[in-house]
Amino acid sequence: MKIKFDVTGMTCAACSARVEKVTGAVEGVEKVEVNLLAGSMTVEAPREAVAAIESAVEKAGYGASVAGEKKKAAASEADPMKRMKLRIIGSAALLIMLMYFTMGHMVGLPTPSWYHGMTAALLQFFLTLPVLYLNRSYYSRGLKALWHRSPNMDSLIAVGSGAALIYGVAVLFLMSNAINRRDWPAVAEYSHDLYFESAAMILTLVTLGKFLETRAKGKTGDAIRALMDLRPKTAVILDTQGQRQIPVEEVRVGDRLMLRAGDAVPVDGLILKGRGAVDQSALTGESLPVEKTVGDTVAAATIVTEGYLEFEARQVGEDTTLSQIIRMVEEAGGSKAPIARLADKIAGFFVPTVMSIAAVVFGVWMLLGKGLEFSLTCAIAVLVISCPCALGLATPVAIMVGTGRGARMGVLFKNAAALEQLHAVDTVVLDKTGTLTTGKPAVTDIIGDEKPLLEVAAALEQHSEHPFAKAILERAKGMTVPEVTDYETLPGRGVAGMVAGGRCIGGNRQLMQDSGIDVPEYPELAAQGKTVLYFAAGGEYLGAIAAADVLKPDSAAAVAAMKKMHLDVVMLTGDNKRTAEAIGAQAGIDHVVAQVLPGDKAGAVKVLQQQGKKVLMVGDGINDAPALVTADVGMAIGAGTDIAMDSAQIVLMTGSLAGVAGAVELSKATLRNIKQNLFWAFFYNALCIPVAAGALYPFFGWQLSPMLGAAAMSMSSVFVVTNALRLRFFKSKTAVIPAETPVIIKEEPKMETVINVNGMMCPHCKAMVEKVCKAVPGTTNAVVDLQAKNVTVTGNADVAALKQAITDAGYEVV
C-alpha cells in the first residue's frame, strides 16, 4: 500500500537522497519517492513497516511521521517563514554592527577610541555569538548529518562558518598570549586576522537566500492551492426538514441538493430536476458554460451561471473529481522524472566530494607555504560557495510548476515521467470514435424539401431508440412534430406509421424497393462514411436524410496544430476503410489504419514503435486501454471511460483534442526549463569551486572571500527557483479554434407538370383545384391559370393521382 509521510529537517538534495536511501533499506519497502519541496515522502510498503521507516529516518538525523498524524516534533516546524524572517532581522542587525566595527574605517566611518586590541576582538566575538545562536539549526542538522556519514548542505555551512569561528577563537588565544608577552606589534597583527565577521556573514547570507528560496518555492504550489480554494464550504440540502444549508463535509451519497444561479457545486452528482448552464472552466479549461439538464452530471467546484438544478450526490469528500485532480497533481509534483535521477545520484556524493576538495585545497596551499590564513580562507570559500541546492532543486521545482500549470490548462499529468516523456513523442495515434468524433450520429445532409421531410422523419422516429432516430429528432428541435399512429418497426429495414392521415415509411433503400418506390442512390455520401435514410409518404418519395458520427468541432483544428508541431498524426479505428478514410480526410489525417480489432490496437502501436517512433496514444474507450498502456505515453480523454483514464499517464479534462498540442508544448517548455536549471547548477559549481579554491591567485592574485562565496551560493538557489516559476506564465502557441460541421441541404430537382382542366370559371374554382393538387403527396406547389385553363404542379407527385384528385373535385381533365 502507498503511505505518505511528512519529513522534517531536509534542506537540500543530499538530505532527500539520504532519506530515500535509508527508507529504501527498510525491510518490506518496495518503492520510495521523496519530495524535497513539500517535505514529504511516499512509500509503497505494508502498514506494519511504518514504525521501522520512522525509526530509520530519525536515525539518519531527520523526522518522519505519517501524513496527518500530529507529533510533538511538528510543533517546532510551525510557521517556518515567520521564524526565518525573525532570524534574518536579528542576524542582519548584529551583522551591521559587526561590519561597522570591522570595516567601517575602510569607508571613512568613525570608530570609538576604545576600539582596538583585545577589546575589539572580544566585541567582535560577542557580536558573532548571537548570530550563531539564531542560526544554530545549521549546526544541529549539519553536524548530525556529518555524524551519520551523510553530509548535506547544512554540513558545508556548519563546517565553513565553524572553521572561521574556531580560527577566530584561536587568534583570540594568540592575542592573549601576545599581550602577556607585551608583544604589541603581534597583538596589532592578530587583530586584523579575526574571521568572526566571515562566520556571521556566511550564516546571515545563507539564511537570507533560504528565505528567498522558500518564499519562491511556496509559489510552486500555487496551482494546488488554487484548486483547494475552489472547494465550496457549504451545500443546500433538500430533505424532510425542508431546505437548509449544511457544511459540505456533512453531505452524504444519496442526498438531494439544490443549486441556484451563482452557486458553486459542492459535490459530484446526477441532475434530477431543472436546467441550467454550468461554468466548468476551473476543472476543464472550457471557456464557455455548458448546458446541463436531467440525466447530466455535475462536478464539485463548478459554478452554476444560470438556471435552477436539483441533483443527487454521487461522489463526496475525497472521491469528488476535484479531490482526485488535487491528489493527482500532488502526486505528479512529488514524483521524480527520469532526468532527476541523475541529479539525485550526483547530489548523493556531491557534499562529501566538496569537503574532500576543501581539505585538499587547504593542504596544497599549506604545502606551498601560503600560511594558515590564506589556506583556511580558500578552504572555507570552497565549502560555502558549492551549492548542492541548485542541483537538487533544478528538476523538482520545474516539475511542480509544470504539472500545476497543466492542471490549470485542463491537462492532468499523473507523474513526472509522463511530463518528461511527452516532449520526445513524434507520432500521435488517435482513436476515432469518441476521440476524433463525437461518438454519436448527427444529421449531415438533407436531400429534399427540408420542412416537410423533417416533419415526417421526426414523426416516424420519435418513438425509436435508434441512434439515428435521436440524430433526426435533435435536428428537428423547435419544429412542431405531428403525431404518428399505427406505428410499427420493420426489423432490418426501418419504421412505418400514419402521419397526418397518410401512411409514411422511413428506412433503408431495401424498404423503399419492397414498397415499390424508386429512389436514387447516393454513392458520394456512402463514400464519405455516411448512412442514408429514405422517407416516403402516401407511396411517394419525399427525400433522404444522411447521418454520420461527425468530427468534434475542434478536431480538425487540433490535428492541424499537431502537424504544425511536426508530429505525425495517425488515426486508428475498427471501422471499415471507406468510413475511416472519409473521417481522416475531414480531419486532415494522412495516415489511417482501419478495420483494427480492439485487441489489435496495442499491436498497431507496437508496429509504429518498431519503426523507431515515439508514440503518444490518445483514446477514450475500454478497447483503447491496452494501446494506452503500450504507447510511450498514454493520454485519455476526460469524457471517456474510467478504464481508459486509469490506463493513461495523462488525462485531458475536456472531451476535446485541443489540449494535446498544448500538453506537448508544455512538456517541451518544462524540459527546456529543467535543462536550463541543471546547466546553471553544473556550470555554477564547475566555475565557482576552482575560483574559490584559489585557481586564479597564481595568475591574477585574486582570492575569493568566503562572504562573497556565501552570497553567490544563496543567489544560485534563488535563480533556479525563479527560473522555474516562469512556467506559471506558459501559454500555448497553437490556438485551436472550433468549427461546427455544417448540415448540407440539397433539394431534389422538382418536375413541373401542366394539366389542362375544363370547368374552372372563378377564383373559387382556382382555389379548389390548387387545394386538391397540393394535397397529393409529392406536390410542393400548384398554380392555376384561369385564362389558359390549366394548373401547373411542381414536385414529384404521381400524375394519375393528380388527375383523379381534380376529377373527384368536379372538374374535367383534358
Side-chain angles (χ1 to χ4, degrees):
M1 64 180 294
K2 277 190 176 182
I3 309 169
K4 190 173 181 180
F5 291 83
D6 292 326
V7 182
T8 58
M10 295 190 299
T11 57
C12 69
C15 298
S16 60
R18 176 66 177 166
V19 170
E20 194 166 303
K21 183 178 179 181
V22 298
T23 305
V26 174
E27 188 176 349
V29 172
E30 295 178 9
K31 188 179 178 183
V32 187
E33 282 195 342
V34 178
N35 187 339
L36 174 63
L37 292 176
S40 64
M41 170 175 69
T42 304
V43 181
E44 286 186 17
R47 191 77 192 179
E48 303 79 55
V50 168
I53 291 169
E54 290 178 351
S55 174
V57 173
E58 284 164 11
K59 283 179 182 175
Y62 307 92
S65 60
V66 175
E69 292 184 5
K70 293 182 179 178
K71 297 222 172 182
K72 290 180 182 178
S76 63
E77 297 294 321
D79 203 358
M81 290 295 287
K82 186 177 179 180
R83 288 170 54 247
M84 199 179 289
K85 195 181 290 186
L86 291 173
R87 279 168 51 197
I88 291 169
I89 293 170
S91 300
L94 291 163
L95 181 63
I96 288 169
M97 287 189 281
L98 185 57
M99 296 303 289
Y100 171 76
F101 285 114
T102 58
M103 296 185 179
H105 64 280
M106 296 180 184
V107 291
L109 294 175
T111 52
S113 57
W114 48 263
Y115 181 75
H116 58 82
M118 183 58 82
T119 304
L122 288 172
L123 179 62
Q124 290 180 38
F125 179 63
F126 286 118
L127 283 173
T128 303
L129 284 179
V131 178
L132 266 65
Y133 178 77
L134 286 171
N135 299 285
R136 61 192 180 280
S137 57
Y138 293 114
Y139 296 97
S140 61
R141 291 196 300 253
L143 296 177
K144 189 186 288 185
L146 202 56
W147 177 259
H148 288 289
R149 290 177 296 177
S150 56
N152 55 19
M153 188 208 74
D154 290 338
S155 303
L156 296 177
I157 304 305
V159 172
S161 61
L165 178 70
I166 292 169
Y167 180 80
V169 171
V171 170
L172 273 179
F173 281 103
L174 292 172
M175 283 181 73
S176 176
N177 185 44
I179 290 170
N180 289 337
R181 299 196 319 268
R182 297 186 180 278
D183 186 353
W184 305 118
V187 171
E189 186 182 340
Y190 286 137
S191 65
H192 295 296
D193 291 343
L194 296 167
Y195 261 78
F196 294 127
E197 77 278 7
S198 289
M201 179 71 83
I202 289 168
L203 293 171
T204 304
L205 287 176
V206 169
T207 303
L208 176 63
K210 276 287 173 189
F211 174 77
L212 295 174
E213 177 189 319
T214 304
R215 191 170 67 173
K217 282 195 293 187
K219 293 179 182 177
T220 62
D222 279 355
I224 295 174
R225 281 189 291 276
L227 288 170
M228 289 178 171
D229 289 343
L230 293 173
R231 288 172 168 164
K233 304 294 185 289
T234 60
V236 177
I237 189 171
L238 301 172
D239 58 12
T240 53
Q241 300 177 40
Q243 174 186 319
R244 58 196 177 91
Q245 195 172 72
I246 61 171
V248 73
E249 293 80 13
E250 294 180 14
V251 176
R252 298 289 177 266
V253 174
D255 285 350
R256 191 181 183 107
L257 306 173
M258 183 190 78
L259 295 166
R260 290 193 179 95
D263 289 348
V265 181
V267 296
D268 294 2
L270 182 73
I271 297 174
L272 303 175
K273 180 181 177 182
R275 180 185 291 272
V278 179
D279 180 358
Q280 302 183 147
S281 57
L283 296 186
T284 65
E286 293 170 287
S287 57
L288 297 175
V290 179
E291 289 293 327
K292 298 280 186 177
T293 188
V294 176
D296 291 335
T297 57
V298 287
T302 56
I303 297 171
V304 180
T305 56
E306 60 175 300
Y308 171 88
L309 299 171
E310 289 182 17
F311 73 100
E312 179 184 294
R314 289 291 179 91
Q315 283 90 31
V316 302
E318 294 302 309
D319 295 328
T320 64
T321 303
L322 177 65
S323 295
Q324 290 173 32
I325 290 172
I326 292 170
R327 189 159 56 246
M328 202 179 292
V329 174
E330 284 179 334
E331 287 176 359
S335 63
K336 282 197 171 122
I339 197 170
R341 306 289 176 187
L342 171 64
D344 284 351
K345 284 179 183 176
I346 294 171
F349 59 79
F350 181 85
V351 176
T353 303
V354 168
M355 296 184 82
S356 302
I357 292 171
V360 170
V361 166
F362 178 80
V364 168
W365 286 120
M366 286 293 288
L367 288 172
L368 292 174
K370 286 298 179 181
L372 180 62
E373 181 191 351
F374 183 91
S375 304
L376 190 61
T377 298
C378 290
I380 293 172
V382 168
L383 290 171
V384 298
I385 203 169
S386 57
C387 190
C389 292
L391 198 59
L393 292 169
T395 301
V397 286
I399 291 293
M400 183 170 274
V401 179
T403 52
R405 181 69 190 121
R408 289 191 175 188
M409 292 167 56
V411 181
L412 295 182
F413 294 92
K414 289 187 179 179
N415 52 57
L419 181 60
E420 179 182 337
Q421 291 163 359
L422 185 61
H423 91 285
V425 301
D426 52 26
T427 303
V428 181
V429 176
L430 303 174
D431 170 54
K432 181 185 81 73
T433 306
T435 301
L436 268 169
T437 66
T438 59
K440 56 183 181 181
V443 171
T444 58
D445 301 79
I446 296 174
I447 303 166
D449 193 347
E450 183 181 15
K451 189 173 182 298
L453 176 57
L454 264 181
E455 283 179 350
V456 170
L460 288 173
E461 301 291 0
Q462 62 187 316
H463 299 299
S464 173
E465 290 299 316
H466 195 282
F468 287 134
K470 292 179 180 178
I472 290 170
L473 292 172
E474 181 67 28
R475 177 65 188 174
K477 262 187 181 176
M479 293 178 63
T480 302
V481 179
E483 285 297 316
V484 61
T485 57
D486 297 336
Y487 176 79
E488 60 177 316
T489 301
L490 308 172
R493 294 184 298 162
V495 291
M498 298 296 290
V499 180
R503 180 170 172 78
C504 299
I505 58 173
N508 56 25
R509 196 159 181 267
Q510 182 65 49
L511 173 62
M512 296 296 148
Q513 289 175 345
D514 292 348
S515 303
I517 300 169
D518 191 27
V519 295
E521 289 188 58
Y522 299 103
E524 73 281 3
L525 296 179
Q528 294 169 27
K530 297 174 181 178
T531 300
V532 181
L533 300 175
Y534 300 88
F535 293 90
E540 298 297 328
Y541 176 57
L542 283 179
I545 296 176
D549 181 11
V550 297
L551 286 177
K552 291 176 182 176
D554 53 8
S555 287
V559 170
M562 293 177 216
K563 292 170 83 171
K564 189 177 178 182
M565 295 179 67
H566 307 292
L567 296 171
D568 182 20
V569 184
V570 178
M571 188 179 83
L572 202 60
T573 179
D575 278 352
N576 64 70
K577 189 174 182 182
R578 186 171 63 179
T579 301
E581 287 180 347
I583 291 291
Q586 292 171 34
I589 299 173
D590 303 319
H591 188 181
V592 175
V593 182
Q595 296 175 314
V596 180
L597 296 173
D600 296 337
K601 284 190 176 182
V605 170
K606 282 181 181 175
V607 169
L608 290 169
Q609 289 173 324
Q610 287 165 2
Q611 294 170 8
K613 306 279 189 182
K614 293 289 183 183
V615 180
L616 164 64
M617 172 72 195
V618 186
D620 74 316
I622 292 173
N623 61 343
D624 297 323
L628 289 169
V629 173
T630 304
D632 296 281
V633 182
M635 183 181 287
I637 297 289
T641 62
D642 289 341
I643 291 176
M645 285 189 273
D646 287 344
S647 303
Q649 298 157 282
I650 304 169
V651 177
L652 293 176
M653 288 305 294
T654 63
S656 156
L657 287 173
V660 176
V664 176
E665 275 188 282
L666 177 60
S667 173
K668 289 179 183 292
T670 304
L671 261 291
R672 190 162 54 246
N673 192 284
I674 288 172
K675 288 173 182 176
Q676 288 167 355
N677 287 346
L678 285 173
F679 172 77
W680 169 257
F682 283 116
F683 171 77
Y684 166 84
N685 284 298
L687 177 69
C688 291
I689 290 176
V691 172
L696 298 179
Y697 183 79
F699 306 102
F700 306 103
W702 293 348
Q703 185 185 24
L704 188 71
S705 162
M707 291 181 282
L708 288 176
M713 186 272 282
S714 298
M715 289 306 103
S716 176
S717 297
V718 174
F719 172 85
V720 165
V721 176
T722 306
N723 185 49
L725 287 175
R726 292 188 304 111
L727 286 170
R728 292 193 302 167
F729 309 106
F730 168 82
K731 286 184 180 177
S732 174
K733 295 176 184 175
T734 51
V736 175
I737 302 170
E740 294 290 343
T741 304
V743 176
I744 300 168
I745 300 172
K746 192 189 300 178
E747 292 193 14
E748 288 280 26
K750 294 186 176 75
M751 182 176 66
E752 285 191 353
T753 305
V754 180
I755 302 173
N756 296 319
V757 182
N758 285 336
M760 297 188 297
M761 306 294 293
C762 64
H764 172 76
C765 297
K766 176 180 183 293
M768 176 59 72
V769 172
E770 286 179 351
K771 180 181 178 182
V772 298
C773 287
K774 287 178 181 177
V776 175
T779 300
T780 55
N781 200 14
V783 179
V784 169
D785 185 336
L786 286 174
Q787 288 185 347
K789 297 186 181 299
N790 63 29
V791 58
T792 302
V793 180
T794 306
N796 301 310
D798 183 65
V799 176
L802 288 169
K803 290 180 178 180
Q804 187 61 49
I806 294 169
T807 303
D808 290 346
Y811 300 93
E812 180 187 1
V813 175
V814 180

Short mmCIF file of all heavy atoms in Angstrom, two decimals, residues 31 46 53 76 98 128 148 172 174 180 237 302 354 359 364 396 419 441 491 512 542 551 617 625 639 667 706 730 733:
data_model
loop_
_atom_site.label_atom_id
_atom_site.label_comp_id
_atom_site.label_asym_id
_atom_site.label_seq_id
_atom_site.Cartn_x
_atom_site.Cartn_y
_atom_site.Cartn_z
N LYS A 31 9.10 0.76 -2.86
CA LYS A 31 9.37 1.97 -3.64
C LYS A 31 9.33 3.19 -2.73
O LYS A 31 8.50 3.27 -1.83
CB LYS A 31 8.34 2.11 -4.77
CG LYS A 31 8.63 3.23 -5.75
CD LYS A 31 7.56 3.27 -6.84
CE LYS A 31 7.82 4.41 -7.82
NZ LYS A 31 6.75 4.51 -8.84
N PRO A 46 4.09 -2.33 3.44
CA PRO A 46 2.98 -2.75 4.31
C PRO A 46 2.84 -1.80 5.50
O PRO A 46 3.82 -1.16 5.90
CB PRO A 46 3.40 -4.15 4.76
CG PRO A 46 4.88 -4.21 4.55
CD PRO A 46 5.18 -3.31 3.40
N ILE A 53 10.21 2.50 9.38
CA ILE A 53 10.55 3.60 8.47
C ILE A 53 10.82 4.87 9.27
O ILE A 53 11.82 5.55 9.04
CB ILE A 53 9.41 3.83 7.45
CG1 ILE A 53 9.33 2.65 6.47
CG2 ILE A 53 9.61 5.14 6.69
CD1 ILE A 53 8.09 2.64 5.61
N SER A 76 7.62 22.33 16.29
CA SER A 76 8.78 23.19 16.05
C SER A 76 8.85 23.69 14.62
O SER A 76 9.56 24.63 14.31
CB SER A 76 10.07 22.43 16.39
OG SER A 76 10.21 21.33 15.52
N LEU A 98 28.54 44.53 13.52
CA LEU A 98 29.83 43.87 13.41
C LEU A 98 30.63 44.43 12.23
O LEU A 98 31.83 44.72 12.35
CB LEU A 98 29.61 42.36 13.22
CG LEU A 98 30.84 41.45 13.21
CD1 LEU A 98 31.66 41.60 14.49
CD2 LEU A 98 30.42 40.00 13.02
N THR A 128 29.22 38.12 17.35
CA THR A 128 29.07 36.95 16.48
C THR A 128 28.28 35.84 17.15
O THR A 128 27.49 35.14 16.50
CB THR A 128 30.45 36.42 16.04
OG1 THR A 128 31.17 37.46 15.39
CG2 THR A 128 30.32 35.23 15.09
N HIS A 148 26.29 11.02 11.04
CA HIS A 148 25.68 9.84 10.43
C HIS A 148 26.29 9.52 9.06
O HIS A 148 25.74 8.73 8.30
CB HIS A 148 24.17 10.05 10.27
CG HIS A 148 23.41 10.00 11.56
ND1 HIS A 148 23.21 8.86 12.28
CD2 HIS A 148 22.82 11.00 12.28
CE1 HIS A 148 22.52 9.12 13.38
NE2 HIS A 148 22.27 10.42 13.41
N LEU A 172 42.22 34.68 19.16
CA LEU A 172 41.99 35.33 20.47
C LEU A 172 43.01 34.83 21.49
O LEU A 172 43.58 35.60 22.26
CB LEU A 172 40.57 35.04 20.97
CG LEU A 172 39.45 35.97 20.52
CD1 LEU A 172 38.12 35.51 21.11
CD2 LEU A 172 39.73 37.40 20.96
N LEU A 174 45.94 33.53 20.83
CA LEU A 174 47.25 34.00 20.43
C LEU A 174 47.45 35.47 20.84
O LEU A 174 48.53 35.88 21.27
CB LEU A 174 47.44 33.85 18.91
CG LEU A 174 47.53 32.41 18.39
CD1 LEU A 174 47.51 32.39 16.87
CD2 LEU A 174 48.79 31.73 18.93
N ASN A 180 50.27 38.98 27.12
CA ASN A 180 51.05 38.56 28.30
C ASN A 180 52.54 38.79 28.07
O ASN A 180 53.29 39.08 29.02
CB ASN A 180 50.80 37.08 28.61
CG ASN A 180 49.39 36.85 29.14
OD1 ASN A 180 48.79 37.78 29.68
ND2 ASN A 180 48.88 35.63 29.00
N ILE A 237 -29.23 21.43 1.17
CA ILE A 237 -29.81 20.09 1.09
C ILE A 237 -31.34 20.19 1.14
O ILE A 237 -31.90 21.07 1.81
CB ILE A 237 -29.27 19.20 2.24
CG1 ILE A 237 -29.70 17.75 2.03
CG2 ILE A 237 -29.69 19.73 3.60
CD1 ILE A 237 -29.03 16.77 2.98
N THR A 302 -17.49 23.41 -9.83
CA THR A 302 -18.00 24.13 -11.00
C THR A 302 -19.09 25.09 -10.52
O THR A 302 -19.62 24.94 -9.42
CB THR A 302 -18.56 23.16 -12.05
OG1 THR A 302 -19.56 22.34 -11.45
CG2 THR A 302 -17.46 22.27 -12.60
N VAL A 354 32.91 17.74 -2.12
CA VAL A 354 33.27 19.14 -1.85
C VAL A 354 34.13 19.24 -0.59
O VAL A 354 35.13 19.98 -0.55
CB VAL A 354 32.01 20.02 -1.73
CG1 VAL A 354 32.35 21.40 -1.17
CG2 VAL A 354 31.33 20.16 -3.08
N ALA A 359 39.50 20.07 1.85
CA ALA A 359 40.64 19.56 2.62
C ALA A 359 41.92 19.55 1.76
O ALA A 359 43.00 19.93 2.22
CB ALA A 359 40.33 18.16 3.13
N VAL A 364 47.17 21.73 0.05
CA VAL A 364 48.04 22.16 -1.04
C VAL A 364 48.61 23.54 -0.76
O VAL A 364 49.81 23.79 -0.92
CB VAL A 364 47.27 22.14 -2.38
CG1 VAL A 364 48.06 22.88 -3.47
CG2 VAL A 364 47.00 20.71 -2.82
N PRO A 396 12.81 19.24 -9.48
CA PRO A 396 11.51 19.20 -8.79
C PRO A 396 10.70 20.48 -8.86
O PRO A 396 9.49 20.43 -8.99
CB PRO A 396 11.86 18.84 -7.35
CG PRO A 396 13.31 19.06 -7.20
CD PRO A 396 13.90 18.89 -8.55
N LEU A 419 5.32 13.76 -17.93
CA LEU A 419 5.62 15.13 -18.33
C LEU A 419 6.93 15.19 -19.10
O LEU A 419 7.06 15.93 -20.08
CB LEU A 419 5.67 16.03 -17.10
CG LEU A 419 5.95 17.52 -17.34
CD1 LEU A 419 4.88 18.13 -18.22
CD2 LEU A 419 6.02 18.27 -16.02
N PRO A 441 -24.21 9.70 -33.75
CA PRO A 441 -24.53 10.21 -35.09
C PRO A 441 -25.18 11.59 -35.03
O PRO A 441 -25.83 11.96 -34.05
CB PRO A 441 -25.52 9.18 -35.64
CG PRO A 441 -25.42 8.01 -34.75
CD PRO A 441 -24.97 8.50 -33.41
N PRO A 491 -38.07 -4.66 -38.78
CA PRO A 491 -36.70 -5.09 -38.47
C PRO A 491 -35.80 -5.17 -39.70
O PRO A 491 -36.19 -5.73 -40.73
CB PRO A 491 -36.91 -6.48 -37.85
CG PRO A 491 -38.30 -6.44 -37.31
CD PRO A 491 -39.08 -5.59 -38.27
N MET A 512 -37.64 0.84 -49.34
CA MET A 512 -38.28 1.57 -50.44
C MET A 512 -38.56 0.66 -51.63
O MET A 512 -39.63 0.70 -52.24
CB MET A 512 -37.38 2.74 -50.87
CG MET A 512 -37.17 3.79 -49.80
SD MET A 512 -38.70 4.62 -49.37
CE MET A 512 -38.42 4.99 -47.64
N LEU A 542 -40.24 11.27 -50.62
CA LEU A 542 -40.10 12.63 -50.11
C LEU A 542 -38.67 13.14 -50.18
O LEU A 542 -38.43 14.31 -50.45
CB LEU A 542 -40.55 12.70 -48.64
CG LEU A 542 -42.05 12.69 -48.35
CD1 LEU A 542 -42.28 12.74 -46.85
CD2 LEU A 542 -42.72 13.89 -49.01
N LEU A 551 -17.07 14.68 -36.88
CA LEU A 551 -15.92 15.19 -36.13
C LEU A 551 -16.37 16.15 -35.04
O LEU A 551 -17.37 16.87 -35.20
CB LEU A 551 -14.98 15.94 -37.07
CG LEU A 551 -14.13 15.14 -38.05
CD1 LEU A 551 -13.34 16.11 -38.91
CD2 LEU A 551 -13.19 14.20 -37.32
N MET A 617 -0.46 7.83 -27.55
CA MET A 617 -1.77 7.26 -27.90
C MET A 617 -2.84 8.06 -27.18
O MET A 617 -2.77 8.27 -25.97
CB MET A 617 -1.84 5.78 -27.48
CG MET A 617 -3.20 5.15 -27.61
SD MET A 617 -3.68 4.89 -29.34
CE MET A 617 -5.45 4.60 -29.18
N ALA A 625 -7.63 0.84 -23.84
CA ALA A 625 -6.78 0.68 -22.67
C ALA A 625 -5.46 -0.04 -22.97
O ALA A 625 -4.39 0.44 -22.56
CB ALA A 625 -7.54 -0.02 -21.55
N ALA A 639 -13.77 12.76 -21.04
CA ALA A 639 -15.15 12.33 -21.17
C ALA A 639 -15.24 10.81 -21.40
O ALA A 639 -16.32 10.27 -21.59
CB ALA A 639 -15.83 13.06 -22.33
N SER A 667 5.20 20.22 -22.07
CA SER A 667 6.25 19.26 -21.76
C SER A 667 7.60 19.74 -22.28
O SER A 667 8.62 19.69 -21.58
CB SER A 667 5.91 17.90 -22.39
OG SER A 667 6.98 17.00 -22.24
N PRO A 706 35.14 34.25 1.57
CA PRO A 706 34.04 33.34 1.94
C PRO A 706 32.69 34.05 1.99
O PRO A 706 31.66 33.44 1.72
CB PRO A 706 34.45 32.84 3.33
CG PRO A 706 35.94 32.95 3.34
CD PRO A 706 36.25 34.18 2.54
N PHE A 730 3.27 30.13 -18.75
CA PHE A 730 3.31 29.44 -20.04
C PHE A 730 1.96 29.56 -20.76
O PHE A 730 0.90 29.40 -20.17
CB PHE A 730 3.62 27.95 -19.83
CG PHE A 730 3.39 27.11 -21.05
CD1 PHE A 730 4.34 27.03 -22.05
CD2 PHE A 730 2.19 26.42 -21.22
CE1 PHE A 730 4.12 26.26 -23.19
CE2 PHE A 730 1.97 25.66 -22.35
CZ PHE A 730 2.93 25.58 -23.33
N LYS A 733 1.18 28.17 -27.97
CA LYS A 733 1.25 28.99 -29.18
C LYS A 733 0.35 28.45 -30.29
O LYS A 733 0.17 29.07 -31.31
CB LYS A 733 2.70 29.05 -29.69
CG LYS A 733 3.65 29.76 -28.73
CD LYS A 733 5.08 29.69 -29.24
CE LYS A 733 6.04 30.32 -28.25
NZ LYS A 733 7.45 30.17 -28.65
#
